[in-house]
Amino acid sequence: MESIAYRLLPPAAGGFSDLFLDYVDAFQRVRPLFARGYRESGEFAEVIRLRASDGADRSALLEVLREQNTAFGSPARTFEHIALLAKPTTFAVVTGQQVGLFGGPMYTVLKTVTAVKLALHLKAQFPDYDFVPVFWLEGEDHDFAEINATAVLDADQRVARIEYLPGGSLPERNPGPVGELVFDASLSAAFARLEADLVPSEFKESLLATLRGCYREGQTFLKAFAAWMNILFEDHGLVFLSPNDPRLKRQLSPLFTKEIEEFPATSQLVISRSAELEQLYHAQVKPKSLNLFLFHKGGRYLIEPRETDFSLRGTRHFLSRDELLHIARETPEQLSANVVLRPITQDLLLPTVAYVAGPSEVAYHAQLAPVYQHFGVVAPVIYPRASASFVEERLRRAMEKYDLQLADFFDDHARLIARVVGQISEVNVDAMFGLAAQRMQEALNELRFGIREVDPTLLSVLETVKSKTEGNLSGLKDKAHAAQAKRNEVAVRQLERAVNGLLPDGGLQERTLSIVTFMNKYGPELVRWLMSELDIASFEHQILTV
């Protein structure tokens, strides 16, 4: 399979930090920052040993899993996996994501494929144990603008943004946990836009019907997302977990209490690790003094310490320390972890052996090893998700026609187009102007010798003439390129469409587009094909020819 090293991708395309790049191809440089590695089987064996001996009571977890997955309409295989989790020799391979519209960006699917395949791989490696893929539904977030839209490519290979706006606009106030928001009649406008922008295909009608079965008026974001993912992964028994359940929050009560009693201990641990980290890399997340939110009057608000009490950010609601501790102990369902504590709560509730993470998640886990220790939670292996782009026929044709390599398309697009235009044009503009610049430089050098003899004070005037001439020549070159490109407009347009199909709006497909774009073109079996094609042990950006 063809692949490209992350370091060779344009920085604007994927947002791969230096820390992540070292994590995937120079791990020993960052090894001290992480609780454990991900390439050696011994690292997994250590987590298995620690998890197998923790004696955790899984009864409440199993009850919630059965109830939630029944509500999500999960297949029989899911309940077989939940039954396996009752055994102390069964562990979770976890991934998670926000509950974005129509599944959100394509990387959600890539993370899930990685988790499913990693669970199968670990079972083959450790046959005495079982491993279950679990998807953590991040429905407690309150940032509606991060989940209400997705994108597809239209017939012109342009990015078309599909947006759900309840009542026609973004909510003006904090909406609370977005997973609990219910779709209203405005959903029809999102579907109308999706139907208009998807290219005609033999799969379009059935794909839209399937999506409408999941996303419908009266359904919550959380249930719609889980229903869609269940269809995509119906053969694999994916287990879903939403943490927004009172029974789970009761299990988190001691953690919430410790965070309140000992604040800002967690924050100080992260700040200390971040200072160490920033000597070479960057700190992905910034901790808060208290890393908890409170659900209040329908919203989700950060709890901020004051001199003698606490406030909810953006409100005039205040709580004493005793009131906050009472909530943590008696009604912990009112509390919600922020980005720093979320992984800790996840791995406290689940027997996690590995977490499948995107590049940003890998980076912030470098800050969290001391937090896991602080709360006495076993840190999982952090396994990088698979990364991939689809290369379509139009791009392959352009490569053959203009003798291009795939790496050329990840380079500067203006330079690529200029190169192709140069190939198909009778005049090589770069060569022509390069020769003219050389001759001009030679002529000016000759003048410099003569002027020095005549009047050395005129040399500064010569430099001004040189500067203006070079500027004029450069401007003329740009105009010549533009004129030449216009003459080759059809070829340029075809090339630009191919480029935008690979890097829509300059970003990787996986970060920009919904999987719906490609299912519409290649059919409902696309995810099953991805399961067979993606190599989760290739820590490079994979190229999938469709």
Side-chain angles (χ1 to χ4, degrees):
M1 175 181 290
E2 192 174 359
S3 63
I4 298 176
Y6 289 113
R7 294 182 189 274
L8 298 181
L9 297 175
F16 302 112
S17 66
D18 289 340
L19 174 57
F20 174 75
L21 294 175
D22 279 352
Y23 193 81
V24 294
D25 60 27
F27 181 69
Q28 289 308 311
R29 293 181 190 171
V30 298
R31 180 65 183 85
L33 298 171
F34 292 87
R36 47 188 49 88
Y38 64 96
R39 290 181 179 266
E40 303 296 330
S41 62
E43 303 280 4
F44 290 95
E46 175 65 8
V47 185
I48 291 169
R49 183 187 67 79
L50 292 170
R51 282 294 187 179
S53 60
D54 65 10
D57 181 1
R58 302 184 185 183
S59 56
L61 172 66
L62 294 170
E63 180 184 327
V64 172
L65 289 177
R66 292 189 194 99
E67 185 179 301
Q68 289 187 353
N69 283 272
T70 298
F72 298 149
S74 298
R77 183 81 183 276
T78 294
F79 294 94
E80 293 172 8
H81 281 162
I82 294 172
L84 279 176
L85 282 168
K87 302 191 311 180
T89 54
T90 300
F91 307 99
V93 175
V94 185
T95 195
Q97 196 59 44
Q98 293 168 301
V99 290
L101 184 68
F102 304 146
M106 194 168 75
Y107 60 64
T108 301
V109 170
L110 297 177
K111 289 175 81 172
T112 310
V113 169
T114 307
V116 170
K117 295 191 75 167
L118 181 57
L120 295 172
H121 171 75
L122 290 174
K123 176 61 179 176
Q125 199 168 31
F126 303 99
D128 293 336
Y129 300 95
D130 291 299
F131 303 88
V132 172
V134 177
F135 194 101
W136 178 277
L137 295 161
E138 295 181 17
E140 287 192 330
D141 289 350
H142 60 274
D143 193 339
F144 183 73
E146 289 190 1
I147 57 96
N148 78 310
T150 191
V152 298
L153 286 178
D154 65 15
D156 293 320
Q157 293 291 89
R158 294 176 302 193
V159 175
R161 181 177 166 85
I162 314 299
E163 196 170 23
Y164 166 68
L165 296 172
S169 62
L170 285 171
E172 293 182 1
R173 59 181 293 275
N174 186 321
V178 293
E180 305 306 319
L181 296 180
V182 175
F183 288 106
D184 64 17
S186 304
L187 185 60
S188 62
F191 270 109
R193 177 70 192 270
L194 180 63
E195 186 169 6
D197 286 323
L198 284 177
V199 299
S201 78
E202 61 181 299
F203 308 110
K204 182 174 178 177
E205 185 177 345
S206 61
L207 175 61
L208 287 170
T210 301
L211 281 168
R212 286 191 172 100
C214 300
Y215 289 83
R216 58 184 187 273
E217 187 176 350
Q219 183 71 290
T220 65
F221 263 90
L222 190 81
K223 289 185 177 179
F225 180 93
W228 173 235
M229 292 290 285
N230 264 328
I231 288 171
L232 296 182
F233 292 93
E234 61 181 340
D235 299 333
H236 304 290
L238 192 59
V239 176
F240 292 97
L241 177 62
S242 168
N244 195 15
D245 184 285
R247 291 161 292 184
L248 299 179
K249 292 297 177 70
R250 278 196 291 275
Q251 292 196 313
L252 296 175
S253 174
L255 182 147
F256 293 156
T257 301
K258 183 179 177 71
E259 173 68 6
I260 296 165
E261 287 180 334
E262 300 182 9
F263 93 92
T266 301
S267 177
Q268 289 171 341
L269 287 171
V270 177
I271 290 170
S272 176
R273 171 53 64 89
S274 300
E276 176 187 351
L277 190 65
E278 288 178 332
Q279 293 179 21
L280 293 173
Y281 301 106
H282 76 295
Q284 184 71 28
V285 296
K286 293 184 178 180
K288 306 301 181 183
S289 296
L290 191 66
N291 294 284
L292 293 171
F293 290 87
L294 183 75
F295 295 124
H296 174 69
K297 293 185 177 180
R300 178 177 180 256
Y301 300 96
L302 183 67
I303 304 169
E304 297 185 313
R306 305 197 311 166
E307 284 189 22
T308 59
D309 59 4
F310 298 84
S311 67
L312 301 186
R313 176 180 287 183
T315 77
R316 295 185 177 182
H317 188 74
F318 307 101
L319 302 98
S320 68
R321 182 175 183 274
D322 288 343
E323 287 174 319
L324 202 52
L325 284 171
H326 181 78
I327 290 172
R329 291 167 180 151
E330 302 300 327
T331 55
E333 62 270 18
Q334 295 184 57
L335 296 173
S336 174
N338 77 346
V339 65
V340 169
L341 284 188
R342 187 206 60 74
I344 317 301
T345 63
Q346 167 194 287
D347 300 325
L348 180 61
L349 293 172
L350 289 163
T352 313
V353 68
Y355 180 76
V356 174
S360 295
E361 292 173 306
V362 167
Y364 76 63
H365 268 279
Q367 298 170 260
L368 299 185
V371 183
Y372 275 92
Q373 294 175 353
H374 177 65
F375 287 101
V377 177
V378 177
V381 171
I382 306 303
Y383 197 87
R385 68 161 170 84
S387 175
S389 290
F390 292 106
V391 171
E392 299 185 275
E393 182 61 30
R394 73 171 75 239
L395 187 66
R396 291 295 182 190
R397 288 199 302 267
M399 290 170 62
E400 293 173 5
K401 185 173 182 179
Y402 302 119
D403 191 27
L404 299 170
Q405 301 299 314
L406 191 61
D408 296 328
F409 288 86
F410 288 101
D411 200 352
D412 181 78
H413 292 168
R415 184 160 58 240
L416 173 66
I417 290 171
R419 172 181 164 184
V420 170
V421 167
Q423 285 183 26
I424 61 178
S425 301
E426 294 179 1
V427 176
N428 187 323
V429 172
D430 286 332
M432 178 176 67
F433 276 87
L435 181 60
Q438 180 184 342
R439 289 175 175 171
M440 182 194 75
Q441 185 65 44
E442 291 171 353
L444 289 172
N445 285 338
E446 290 179 9
L447 278 173
R448 184 175 289 106
F449 288 115
I451 287 174
R452 183 179 290 112
E453 294 297 324
V454 173
D455 184 354
T457 64
L458 294 177
L459 288 174
S460 61
V461 178
L462 178 63
E463 289 303 316
T464 301
V465 170
K466 176 187 174 186
S467 178
K468 288 183 178 180
T469 303
E470 288 175 344
N472 291 336
L473 198 63
S474 177
L476 182 60
K477 177 182 174 182
D478 289 342
K479 290 179 180 179
H481 269 308
Q484 192 174 59
K486 190 172 182 179
R487 290 182 61 186
N488 298 285
E489 191 173 342
V490 173
V492 169
R493 188 163 57 247
Q494 290 175 343
L495 193 62
E496 287 177 338
R497 283 162 59 91
V499 167
N500 207 46
L502 180 65
L503 290 168
D505 282 355
L508 291 178
Q509 295 167 356
E510 63 186 34
R511 300 180 65 85
T512 308
L513 302 177
S514 166
I515 193 70
V516 170
T517 296
F518 300 100
M519 291 182 70
N520 179 58
K521 292 182 178 182
Y522 305 110
E525 299 297 309
L526 183 66
V527 173
R528 187 174 285 113
W529 180 78
L530 275 175
M531 288 291 301
S532 65
E533 290 295 310
L534 276 178
D535 179 3
I536 67 166
S538 170
F539 303 110
E540 294 189 328
H541 186 72
Q542 298 173 55
I543 303 302
L544 305 173
T545 300
V546 288

